[in-house]
Amino acid sequence: MTTIDFITELFCRVDDQMDLHQKHSQAKLYPSEVVTLALLYALKGCGQRAFWRWLERDYRPLFPNLPHRTRLFRLFNSHRHYVNCFLADPSLIGVIDSYGIELLHPIREGRSARQIGKKGKSNHRWIVGGKLCYLLNNLGLVVSWDCDTANVYDGSAFQHLVDEVADEMVVFSDTGFAKKGWHPTNLRLCKRGEWNVRMLIETVLSMLTYVCDFKHARHKAWDYFKTKLGFTMALFNVLVQWHGFQPDETGFVPLSIAEFSL
């Protein structure tokens, strides 16, 4: 499948998912076009200027009404709520975890008054950036997500993700979600090596890290950073279901998005 074929089919899938959302009379792009471009930006995993050069140079004929670069990324922000169209339904069992994303090298911390990232630990080392928390269902699809700066404590900043599915899901997490005075009945804290269900988290993280270059970001404004995270979650749900779920002879459903790397 060529890149043009992939972009065309991606647009068709997005448009089918958003068939009730009409274009504003003064808009140049349909909402499905904006969302498709935002998903491509998340998949490309590069900075805004590099993505714009790639799109303008190679694929401008696919989007003849493409606005200027700055206008396009503002459209991504204003269309961020469409991410909810691509989130999965809760299942009986789920798993939750957080993921640190570097925005700045620690040695450069505090040099700019516009710095949006905070200093925190991720994978046993210090980073300056943000933290994504996401809840997966039993198939490995993203059910909900949220983000904050890297210095927050998981149990305090993201407890609402667990509370929102209290009547629908039993959620497994690491001990980072333990919090004094907060003991939801649907949360199961897992010590290291106790439950292999948490391997699902590591599988998803590895795909996002290597395909979407998700460990590093270059944003200088929080809204743009949050938009990139949201559309990456939507992108994962779209791509991992591209060929449908095909279990092997043991019933295991492998997850992969490597073939879509740009």
Side-chain angles (χ1 to χ4, degrees), residues 3-32:
T3 304
I4 292 179
D5 292 337
F6 167 69
I7 295 176
T8 303
E9 186 169 349
L10 178 63
F11 169 75
C12 292
R13 291 172 181 252
V14 169
D15 192 58
D16 290 341
Q17 194 79 10
M18 303 171 52
D19 57 349
L20 298 179
H21 301 278
Q22 301 298 321
K23 182 173 76 74
H24 190 276
S25 59
Q26 296 179 336
K28 292 185 177 180
L29 295 176
Y30 282 85
S32 53

Side-chain angles (χ1 to χ4, degrees), residues 192-249:
R192 184 181 296 273
E194 183 178 0
W195 293 91
N196 61 1
V197 69
R198 285 192 43 79
M199 284 301 297
L200 184 63
I201 283 284
E202 303 303 328
T203 301
V204 173
L205 288 182
S206 64
M207 286 188 283
L208 293 176
T209 300
Y210 291 108
V211 176
C212 302
D213 191 22
F214 201 45
K215 191 63 178 176
H216 302 85
R218 305 162 181 85
H219 300 85
K220 307 300 181 184
W222 189 259
D223 279 345
Y224 291 88
F225 176 64
K226 189 172 184 179
T227 296
K228 175 71 174 291
L229 300 187
F231 280 111
T232 303
M233 297 293 95
L235 173 75
F236 179 80
N237 280 358
V238 172
L239 296 187
V240 82
Q241 301 179 85
W242 195 270
H243 302 298
F245 292 112
Q246 301 175 359
D248 58 18
E249 60 276 5

Side-chain angles (χ1 to χ4, degrees), residues 104 108-118 128 149 219-222:
L104 197 66
R108 299 181 62 86
E109 182 190 14
R111 294 190 181 184
S112 173
R114 299 173 57 190
Q115 175 183 317
I116 62 172
K118 300 291 185 180
V128 177
T149 51
H219 300 85
K220 307 300 181 184
W222 189 259

Side-chain angles (χ1 to χ4, degrees), residues 42 76 84 89 108 125 132 153 178 187 192 205 212 218:
F76 290 172
N84 296 328
D89 295 327
R108 299 181 62 86
R125 70 186 188 90
L132 168 72
Y153 180 63
L187 181 64
R192 184 181 296 273
L205 288 182
C212 302
R218 305 162 181 85

Side-chain angles (χ1 to χ4, degrees), residues 58-250:
D58 298 336
Y59 304 106
R60 180 61 184 262
L62 297 178
F63 304 96
N65 295 321
L66 192 67
H68 187 266
R69 174 180 59 84
T70 55
R71 173 61 178 165
L72 177 64
F73 284 95
R74 289 198 298 270
L75 283 175
F76 290 172
N77 284 348
S78 63
H79 286 66
R80 187 172 64 210
H81 59 282
Y82 287 117
V83 168
N84 296 328
C85 297
F86 302 92
L87 296 180
D89 295 327
S91 59
L92 180 61
I93 296 177
V95 58
I96 192 171
D97 201 1
S98 61
Y99 181 73
I101 300 174
E102 298 181 48
L103 290 168
L104 197 66
H105 193 283
I107 201 172
R108 299 181 62 86
E109 182 190 14
R111 294 190 181 184
S112 173
R114 299 173 57 190
Q115 175 183 317
I116 62 172
K118 300 291 185 180
K119 193 175 210 178
K121 271 194 172 182
S122 175
N123 293 334
H124 307 287
R125 70 186 188 90
W126 291 101
I127 66 168
V128 177
K131 181 181 288 188
L132 168 72
C133 183
Y134 57 100
L135 175 64
L136 304 179
N137 64 14
N138 65 319
L139 295 175
L141 299 176
V142 180
V143 175
S144 60
W145 66 281
D146 198 2
C147 63
D148 210 323
T149 51
N151 62 324
V152 301
Y153 180 63
D154 292 349
S156 299
F158 306 119
Q159 65 182 43
H160 64 280
L161 296 179
V162 178
D163 293 334
E164 288 170 0
V165 294
D167 299 328
E168 300 173 276
M169 296 181 72
V170 176
V171 180
F172 291 85
S173 74
D174 57 21
T175 54
F177 281 82
K179 181 185 177 184
K180 185 177 181 180
W182 179 61
H183 307 287
T185 57
N186 64 321
L187 181 64
R188 300 291 184 271
L189 298 176
C190 306
K191 297 180 180 179
R192 184 181 296 273
E194 183 178 0
W195 293 91
N196 61 1
V197 69
R198 285 192 43 79
M199 284 301 297
L200 184 63
I201 283 284
E202 303 303 328
T203 301
V204 173
L205 288 182
S206 64
M207 286 188 283
L208 293 176
T209 300
Y210 291 108
V211 176
C212 302
D213 191 22
F214 201 45
K215 191 63 178 176
H216 302 85
R218 305 162 181 85
H219 300 85
K220 307 300 181 184
W222 189 259
D223 279 345
Y224 291 88
F225 176 64
K226 189 172 184 179
T227 296
K228 175 71 174 291
L229 300 187
F231 280 111
T232 303
M233 297 293 95
L235 173 75
F236 179 80
N237 280 358
V238 172
L239 296 187
V240 82
Q241 301 179 85
W242 195 270
H243 302 298
F245 292 112
Q246 301 175 359
D248 58 18
E249 60 276 5
T250 64

